[in-house]
Amino acid sequence: MNKTYHHPVQIYYEDTDHSGVVYHPNFLKYFERAREHVIGSNLLDKLWRENGLGFAVYKANMIFQDGVEFAEICDIRTTCQLDGKYKTLWRQEVWRPGATKAAVIGDIEMVCLDKHKRLQPLPESILSMLLGE
């Protein structure tokens, strides 16, 4: 998938540390929300209820290049690609208003698991969505 998805995130005071800058673990929360919007809550819910399939973070690498501050509305830019039959690779970037570079870059590897936490091939509905079919 080469398409870039955009998801706005309002930065609330509760997201920040004492200096008004976003506390670093909150970026993982923003990335999670953006990925859910790419796939869709209904599809994620259906996969879990009907097939017992879900997704888990296997690996996360983050680079912090700029502080994100209270009251900003940032753009989470997300792209995804397949990496074999069990895993997806997500590049997610946090862009501040008017910025010339991403404030935060996250490379997230997700795997598909069943209810017993065993690796499962990515479902056809996810493959179709990611491949744009």
Side-chain angles (χ1 to χ4, degrees):
M1 170 199 308
N2 291 328
K3 181 175 180 178
T4 300
Y5 291 87
H6 297 268
H7 179 69
V9 170
Q10 168 74 48
I11 305 303
Y12 294 101
Y13 188 75
E14 68 184 22
D15 296 329
T16 66
D17 60 17
H18 69 281
S19 68
V21 174
V22 172
Y23 183 53
H24 67 279
N26 286 329
F27 292 107
L28 290 170
K29 177 175 59 175
Y30 305 152
F31 291 157
E32 183 78 28
R33 287 181 195 163
R35 287 192 308 273
E36 183 173 331
H37 280 270
V38 169
I39 296 172
S41 301
N42 291 338
L43 179 55
L44 289 168
D45 181 55
K46 181 179 178 181
L47 285 171
W48 184 253
R49 283 187 294 103
E50 295 179 9
N51 305 100
L53 296 176
F55 300 92
V57 172
Y58 171 71
K59 183 192 236 182
N61 291 312
M62 294 172 45
I63 299 169
F64 300 92
Q65 302 185 121
D66 195 9
V68 175
E69 298 177 359
F70 167 63
E72 291 183 321
I73 298 176
C74 294
D75 181 27
I76 309 299
R77 300 178 187 178
T78 301
T79 59
C80 180
Q81 66 183 33
L82 301 176
D83 185 32
K85 64 181 188 175
Y86 304 104
K87 187 168 46 170
T88 53
L89 306 175
W90 298 79
R91 165 59 63 106
Q92 297 186 274
E93 299 175 347
V94 178
W95 285 78
R96 298 176 72 191
T100 58
K101 68 177 182 179
V104 179
I105 300 169
D107 289 310
I108 315 293
E109 295 182 24
M110 303 287 295
V111 293
C112 183
L113 300 173
D114 65 18
K115 288 184 178 186
H116 304 288
K117 298 182 179 118
R118 295 181 299 224
L119 277 176
Q120 295 297 316
L122 292 162
E124 198 59 45
S125 55
I126 295 294
L127 292 173
S128 296
M129 188 270 312
L130 293 177
L131 298 174
E133 299 172 352

